[in-house]
Amino acid sequence: MSILVTGGAGYIGSHTVIELQNAGEEVVVVDNLVNSSRESLRRVEKITGKPVKFYEADINDAAKLEEIFDREAVESVIHFAGLKAVGESVEKPLEYYMNNISGSLVLFNTMRKYNVKNIIFSSSATVYGNPSFVPITEECPKGKITNPYGKTKEMLEEILIDIQKADSEWNVILLRYFNPIGAHESGTMGENPRGIPNNLMPYITQVAVGKLKKLGVFGDDYDTPDGTCIRDYIHVVDLAAGHVKAVSKLRKKPGISVYNLGTGTGSSVLDVIKSFEAATGVKIPYEVKPRRAGDVPVCYCDAGKAARELGWKAQYDLKKMCEDSWRWQKNNPEGYVD
Ligand code: NAD
Ligand code: UD1
């Protein structure tokens, strides 16, 4: 039996495929490569020494999905596929709802048709909005979400909860990721953003490699110790390992479960810059810019539930995240080249 990984050629998906294969799982990847490259899976194969079964397909394509489910003995699905750029989602809400919501509905419907009722879904800390308390536990009420991308995460959580409520044969694990950064230790795999990065770490590494001149720090007048926003950065390999634990949990038929995947440690933007400089010896020029719309001041989790129930805990610290991000960027200044 296989684990079908949608979006498995992407940043988190490809690192998860490595951990799954290393754990002895059979993996089938479905990805339309809208935000990724076939090369990432070739690099997975080099690392694990195992072939990756890959279907280039859009999850909106029901006929194609049925073909895949006909051919493969799928036990469960890890659903990463989706568009994820916050700013772009404000400009193109319909594209985001069609891709993320409609695509997921087609996937869930196909799963039901083939009686595959086990799913792990990539959700986000964004569902907490501006959190009503920190560290954020899974009981923290969901907050106001200001962009269509974040809304698709919140809606898909609710849709999966409803599906499981109506049919208790479904097992659903919602994983709320905090801020994934870092890269595979080999330096051959990492995040490969198209265009100018929106997120902090890829921006820093592109400044470090000379592709961008200077980092803008979005606001230094927040009510935090150094005035910059605080986030819970987590190494992508730790995050990937969390999915292997979630697969084990899914086999125990949990019904519905929700877990935060983060380290439980908050770091400010200036902490990340300092850590990067210390870990790599590369200076990051920056200037303070106005606050970015939609940013919350402080967001970090209590990761205790995942530790207790999944037996999972993040291993890597910010220094390691910086070292690995840098190794990837330095060795692959243009990212993956097909
Ligand atoms: P990514 O863009 O690298 O990976 C997503 C993959 O899905 C890409 O390979 C893309 O080609 C594929 N895809 C998109 N639409 C598709 C479709 N219709 N059919 C088939 N494939 C499709 O992003 P990532 O950072 O690896 O994120 C993976 C998941 O985790 C996403 O759902 C994202 O929203 C979620 N998430 C990411 C973060 C983060 O900071 N990276 C944080 C929280 C949640
Ligand atoms: C952002 C998204 C969130 C999404 C997550 C992962 C917003 C408002 N939130 O989270 O919905 O789930 O990415 O894709 O976009 N920063 C700078 N300069 C930069 C880039 C970032 O100072 O050039 C700061 C930001 O203000 C923030 C921190 O760095 O305080 C982290 O930013 P980022 O990496 O974009 O992650 P989030 O904003 O936490």
Side-chain angles (χ1 to χ4, degrees):
M1 299 288 279
S2 307
I3 298 166
L4 188 140
V5 181
T6 73
Y11 172 48
I12 305 170
S14 58
H15 286 83
T16 300
V17 174
I18 295 178
E19 298 306 310
L20 289 168
Q21 287 195 326
N22 284 345
E25 301 286 356
E26 291 293 320
V27 179
V28 175
V29 171
V30 175
D31 200 304
N32 65 356
L33 305 180
V34 65
N35 194 40
S36 55
S37 150
R38 179 72 184 81
E39 179 61 20
S40 68
L41 295 177
R42 289 190 203 107
R43 302 214 180 166
V44 170
E45 290 174 336
K46 276 206 186 115
I47 288 168
T48 65
K50 294 178 186 168
V52 177
K53 204 174 258 187
F54 173 60
Y55 292 93
E56 186 170 341
D58 191 315
I59 54 166
N60 271 292
D61 185 342
K64 186 81 192 182
L65 279 189
E66 291 195 9
E67 227 176 83
I68 296 166
F69 276 79
D70 272 332
R71 289 175 64 163
E72 305 292 340
V74 179
E75 169 198 335
S76 50
V77 173
I78 305 182
H79 181 30
F80 292 106
L83 299 174
K84 62 160 187 178
V86 172
E88 185 185 61
S89 79
V90 175
E91 306 291 317
K92 299 178 176 175
L94 192 50
E95 279 76 6
Y96 270 67
Y97 290 122
M98 298 225 334
N99 193 73
N100 293 7
I101 303 284
S102 302
S104 297
L105 295 179
V106 171
L107 172 70
F108 304 159
N109 197 37
T110 311
M111 289 174 67
R112 178 175 63 174
K113 190 164 174 188
Y114 286 81
N115 208 30
V116 177
K117 296 182 175 176
N118 303 308
I119 185 164
I120 295 168
F121 173 61
S122 298
S123 188
S124 167
T126 200
V127 300
Y128 296 114
N130 190 0
S132 36
F133 56 84
V134 288
I136 303 168
T137 64
E138 291 78 357
E139 279 70 46
C140 182
K142 291 190 199 172
K144 181 156 174 48
I145 303 167
T146 52
N147 61 82
Y149 161 71
K151 287 179 188 170
T152 68
K153 291 293 164 199
E154 140 71 13
M155 286 177 199
L156 286 166
E157 282 200 358
E158 293 301 320
I159 288 168
L160 283 166
I161 290 168
D162 286 343
I163 290 173
Q164 199 281 331
K165 209 185 278 173
D167 177 356
S168 61
E169 283 180 11
W170 279 83
N171 295 292
V172 175
I173 299 185
L174 307 175
L175 297 179
R176 294 178 180 156
Y177 311 152
F178 280 68
N179 286 60
I181 60 171
H184 192 266
E185 174 158 63
S186 62
T188 63
M189 296 185 51
E191 194 170 3
N192 190 33
R194 304 243 154 114
I196 295 176
N198 299 306
N199 299 115
L200 181 62
M201 183 54 83
Y203 206 107
I204 288 179
T205 59
Q206 293 203 10
V207 170
V209 85
K211 288 177 78 177
L212 296 168
K213 277 209 157 55
K214 202 189 259 185
L215 173 73
V217 171
F218 299 142
D220 68 349
D221 55 352
Y222 287 97
D223 185 13
T224 60
D226 67 19
T228 66
C229 293
I230 290 178
R231 295 288 181 274
D232 187 335
Y233 296 94
I234 174 167
H235 198 296
V236 67
V237 173
D238 273 331
L239 192 64
H243 291 74
V244 178
K245 297 289 189 183
V247 166
S248 302
K249 177 79 179 177
L250 208 51
R251 293 193 173 124
K252 295 186 185 130
K253 304 196 179 307
I256 182 114
S257 300
V258 186
Y259 298 102
N260 288 335
L261 294 185
T263 61
T265 302
S267 306
S268 73
V269 177
L270 297 184
D271 289 335
V272 177
I273 298 172
K274 278 184 218 136
S275 251
F276 187 89
E277 291 181 339
T280 65
V282 183
K283 191 107 191 90
I284 302 299
Y286 69 84
E287 73 178 309
V288 176
K289 294 246 173 92
R291 292 180 176 195
R292 181 172 70 178
D295 272 346
V296 302
V298 180
C299 177
Y300 63 96
C301 78
D302 178 329
K305 188 179 177 202
R308 287 188 301 276
E309 297 188 15
L310 299 180
W312 172 87
K313 202 172 173 304
Q315 307 290 323
Y316 299 126
D317 61 10
L318 189 54
K319 177 169 178 275
K320 168 84 172 151
M321 298 179 216
C322 292
E323 285 167 357
D324 289 344
S325 291
W326 176 227
R327 192 177 303 111
W328 153 251
Q329 180 75 73
K330 201 173 36 170
N331 294 350
N332 305 268
E334 301 307 322
Y336 297 116
V337 184
D338 259 329

